[in-house]
Amino acid sequence: MTDLDSLKSELLTAAHAAPDLAALEALRVSGLGKKGRITQLMKGLGGLDPEARKAQGQALNLVKDALQSAIEARKAELEEVELERRLAEESLDVSLPARPREVGLVHPISQTMEELVAIFGEMGFTVAEGPHIEDDFHNFDALNIPPEHPARQEMDTFYFPEKPDGSRMVLRTHTSPVQVRTMQSTKPPIRVIAPGRTFRADHDATHSPMFHQVEGLVIDESTHMGHLKGTLIEFCRAYFGVDDLPVRFRPSYFPFTEPSAEVDIGCSKKGGQLVIGAGDDWLEILGCGMVNPKVLENCGIDSSKYQGFAFGMGIERIAMLKYGMPDLRPFYDSDIRWLRHYGFVPLETPSMVRGL
Ligand code: PHE
């Protein structure tokens, strides 16, 4: 066997046996690279006489070609093995059970607010917002509640420390200051609801120092008590999902509305079981009235031209009634077990809203 034959068989054996692509590349470099063994032999051809150069050149070319094809063949083999390995490794077992996915739930307060916005949104109301920390003017004076008025005491107001000028800011006791702000900044016609947080120093099973209200306000040149009644009857029926829900307007008093009314819905409370829409009992759910002309004037609206109505209700209260929740306090306890029981699946619109 010539030296060339043994070089050839050595290189081909190495090519066949190369364990991976890196080893194969190293072999290519050592044989065919710039300083490879075959390349070196090629370079040596120049020193031979023409006959020998031709014969040796052809022989070297054959070895070179044989090595190249051996490397190519082994490369294809190795790539195939690698592909098989990856396919096996990355395969999916579609029969495996899915991993449990933690889904958050919507708090009943948020859910109820969304329902309110959806119902009043259908009636053409937009949402207005205002600050939680208010001054006397927006929370009381503009709403026709002067300092000596008993309503100021009744509301169990949280006051901030006195300012140098003697005034004190308050945590708003109702969402009505938002109607003041809306009237100050918007030219009628106005049709807004203001859902949001409110604060009163009161705490038991049905009262919390922080709670939520929604206020509604409609002002234009011709809105009258009939519109107030129609809007609120329609709202009560849509919210509680009872088409023929009995709704009663009872004369009442609020400084900011005249005349004022409280709204009751028909229910039965027999055997400790509350059923809304049936029976001969009544449940109070909201306050309302025609906006007092004094309030319009306090907010810079001409009361000889404009009129309208306002209403306000507690969000916790209407949520508790609709969803049968006996106690208000767990609303703010952040107890995940309570939320799992009373929470709502996100993105799933309740049938009542979907039906609108
Ligand atoms: N602001 C009143 C309250 O908190 C509710 C209300 C609003 C009543 C608007 C009438 C009109 O009790």
Side-chain angles (χ1 to χ4, degrees), residues 342-353:
Y342 285 113
F344 292 83
V345 179
L347 302 180
E348 197 167 278
T349 333
S351 56
M352 187 261 320
V353 172

PDB file of all heavy atoms in Angstrom, residues 342-353:
ATOM      1  N   TYR A 342     -68.250  34.711  45.969  1.00  0.00           N
ATOM      2  CA  TYR A 342     -69.102  35.797  45.464  1.00  0.00           C
ATOM      3  C   TYR A 342     -68.533  36.508  44.230  1.00  0.00           C
ATOM      4  O   TYR A 342     -69.206  37.346  43.641  1.00  0.00           O
ATOM      5  CB  TYR A 342     -69.336  36.840  46.564  1.00  0.00           C
ATOM      6  CG  TYR A 342     -70.327  36.392  47.625  1.00  0.00           C
ATOM      7  CD1 TYR A 342     -69.915  36.145  48.933  1.00  0.00           C
ATOM      8  CD2 TYR A 342     -71.668  36.205  47.308  1.00  0.00           C
ATOM      9  CE1 TYR A 342     -70.815  35.737  49.902  1.00  0.00           C
ATOM     10  CE2 TYR A 342     -72.577  35.792  48.271  1.00  0.00           C
ATOM     11  CZ  TYR A 342     -72.150  35.561  49.569  1.00  0.00           C
ATOM     12  OH  TYR A 342     -73.043  35.157  50.514  1.00  0.00           O
ATOM     13  N   GLY A 343     -67.269  36.185  43.857  1.00  0.00           N
ATOM     14  CA  GLY A 343     -66.634  36.889  42.736  1.00  0.00           C
ATOM     15  C   GLY A 343     -67.248  36.486  41.396  1.00  0.00           C
ATOM     16  O   GLY A 343     -68.003  35.520  41.293  1.00  0.00           O
ATOM     17  N   PHE A 344     -66.891  37.235  40.374  1.00  0.00           N
ATOM     18  CA  PHE A 344     -67.427  36.991  39.034  1.00  0.00           C
ATOM     19  C   PHE A 344     -66.305  36.645  38.075  1.00  0.00           C
ATOM     20  O   PHE A 344     -65.217  37.209  38.165  1.00  0.00           O
ATOM     21  CB  PHE A 344     -68.169  38.230  38.520  1.00  0.00           C
ATOM     22  CG  PHE A 344     -69.422  38.490  39.285  1.00  0.00           C
ATOM     23  CD1 PHE A 344     -69.368  39.169  40.489  1.00  0.00           C
ATOM     24  CD2 PHE A 344     -70.636  38.002  38.846  1.00  0.00           C
ATOM     25  CE1 PHE A 344     -70.527  39.387  41.227  1.00  0.00           C
ATOM     26  CE2 PHE A 344     -71.795  38.213  39.571  1.00  0.00           C
ATOM     27  CZ  PHE A 344     -71.732  38.916  40.767  1.00  0.00           C
ATOM     28  N   VAL A 345     -66.579  35.739  37.157  1.00  0.00           N
ATOM     29  CA  VAL A 345     -65.571  35.354  36.178  1.00  0.00           C
ATOM     30  C   VAL A 345     -65.362  36.527  35.223  1.00  0.00           C
ATOM     31  O   VAL A 345     -66.326  37.071  34.696  1.00  0.00           O
ATOM     32  CB  VAL A 345     -66.023  34.101  35.402  1.00  0.00           C
ATOM     33  CG1 VAL A 345     -64.980  33.713  34.369  1.00  0.00           C
ATOM     34  CG2 VAL A 345     -66.273  32.964  36.363  1.00  0.00           C
ATOM     35  N   PRO A 346     -64.081  36.953  35.030  1.00  0.00           N
ATOM     36  CA  PRO A 346     -63.859  38.098  34.149  1.00  0.00           C
ATOM     37  C   PRO A 346     -64.325  37.801  32.726  1.00  0.00           C
ATOM     38  O   PRO A 346     -64.331  36.649  32.301  1.00  0.00           O
ATOM     39  CB  PRO A 346     -62.346  38.296  34.182  1.00  0.00           C
ATOM     40  CG  PRO A 346     -61.777  37.179  34.942  1.00  0.00           C
ATOM     41  CD  PRO A 346     -62.857  36.374  35.557  1.00  0.00           C
ATOM     42  N   LEU A 347     -64.667  38.830  32.025  1.00  0.00           N
ATOM     43  CA  LEU A 347     -65.082  38.760  30.619  1.00  0.00           C
ATOM     44  C   LEU A 347     -66.419  38.084  30.414  1.00  0.00           C
ATOM     45  O   LEU A 347     -66.956  38.057  29.333  1.00  0.00           O
ATOM     46  CB  LEU A 347     -64.034  38.050  29.751  1.00  0.00           C
ATOM     47  CG  LEU A 347     -62.657  38.675  29.766  1.00  0.00           C
ATOM     48  CD1 LEU A 347     -61.709  37.875  28.869  1.00  0.00           C
ATOM     49  CD2 LEU A 347     -62.713  40.121  29.293  1.00  0.00           C
ATOM     50  N   GLU A 348     -66.976  37.504  31.477  1.00  0.00           N
ATOM     51  CA  GLU A 348     -68.272  36.865  31.296  1.00  0.00           C
ATOM     52  C   GLU A 348     -69.358  37.852  31.709  1.00  0.00           C
ATOM     53  O   GLU A 348     -69.576  38.099  32.879  1.00  0.00           O
ATOM     54  CB  GLU A 348     -68.358  35.602  32.132  1.00  0.00           C
ATOM     55  CG  GLU A 348     -69.472  34.709  31.665  1.00  0.00           C
ATOM     56  CD  GLU A 348     -69.347  33.338  32.281  1.00  0.00           C
ATOM     57  OE1 GLU A 348     -68.565  32.534  31.769  1.00  0.00           O
ATOM     58  OE2 GLU A 348     -70.037  33.105  33.282  1.00  0.00           O
ATOM     59  N   THR A 349     -70.012  38.442  30.735  1.00  0.00           N
ATOM     60  CA  THR A 349     -71.030  39.444  31.051  1.00  0.00           C
ATOM     61  C   THR A 349     -72.231  38.752  31.651  1.00  0.00           C
ATOM     62  O   THR A 349     -72.686  37.747  31.108  1.00  0.00           O
ATOM     63  CB  THR A 349     -71.473  40.147  29.761  1.00  0.00           C
ATOM     64  OG1 THR A 349     -70.406  40.097  28.851  1.00  0.00           O
ATOM     65  CG2 THR A 349     -71.884  41.566  30.029  1.00  0.00           C
ATOM     66  N   PRO A 350     -72.744  39.252  32.768  1.00  0.00           N
ATOM     67  CA  PRO A 350     -73.931  38.605  33.332  1.00  0.00           C
ATOM     68  C   PRO A 350     -75.102  38.706  32.356  1.00  0.00           C
ATOM     69  O   PRO A 350     -75.179  39.645  31.568  1.00  0.00           O
ATOM     70  CB  PRO A 350     -74.219  39.416  34.606  1.00  0.00           C
ATOM     71  CG  PRO A 350     -73.448  40.668  34.486  1.00  0.00           C
ATOM     72  CD  PRO A 350     -72.333  40.434  33.526  1.00  0.00           C
ATOM     73  N   SER A 351     -76.002  37.727  32.420  1.00  0.00           N
ATOM     74  CA  SER A 351     -77.050  37.637  31.414  1.00  0.00           C
ATOM     75  C   SER A 351     -77.878  38.927  31.365  1.00  0.00           C
ATOM     76  O   SER A 351     -78.303  39.358  30.317  1.00  0.00           O
ATOM     77  CB  SER A 351     -77.944  36.454  31.711  1.00  0.00           C
ATOM     78  OG  SER A 351     -78.433  36.609  33.038  1.00  0.00           O
ATOM     79  N   MET A 352     -78.036  39.564  32.555  1.00  0.00           N
ATOM     80  CA  MET A 352     -78.847  40.765  32.617  1.00  0.00           C
ATOM     81  C   MET A 352     -78.267  41.849  31.697  1.00  0.00           C
ATOM     82  O   MET A 352     -78.988  42.504  30.940  1.00  0.00           O
ATOM     83  CB  MET A 352     -78.877  41.240  34.065  1.00  0.00           C
ATOM     84  CG  MET A 352     -79.784  42.369  34.355  1.00  0.00           C
ATOM     85  SD  MET A 352     -78.935  43.903  34.418  1.00  0.00           S
ATOM     86  CE  MET A 352     -77.433  43.566  35.224  1.00  0.00           C
ATOM     87  N   VAL A 353     -76.944  42.012  31.754  1.00  0.00           N
ATOM     88  CA  VAL A 353     -76.327  43.046  30.926  1.00  0.00           C
ATOM     89  C   VAL A 353     -76.325  42.612  29.466  1.00  0.00           C
ATOM     90  O   VAL A 353     -76.588  43.386  28.556  1.00  0.00           O
ATOM     91  CB  VAL A 353     -74.886  43.332  31.404  1.00  0.00           C
ATOM     92  CG1 VAL A 353     -74.176  44.259  30.424  1.00  0.00           C
ATOM     93  CG2 VAL A 353     -74.912  43.979  32.780  1.00  0.00           C
TER      94      VAL A 353
END
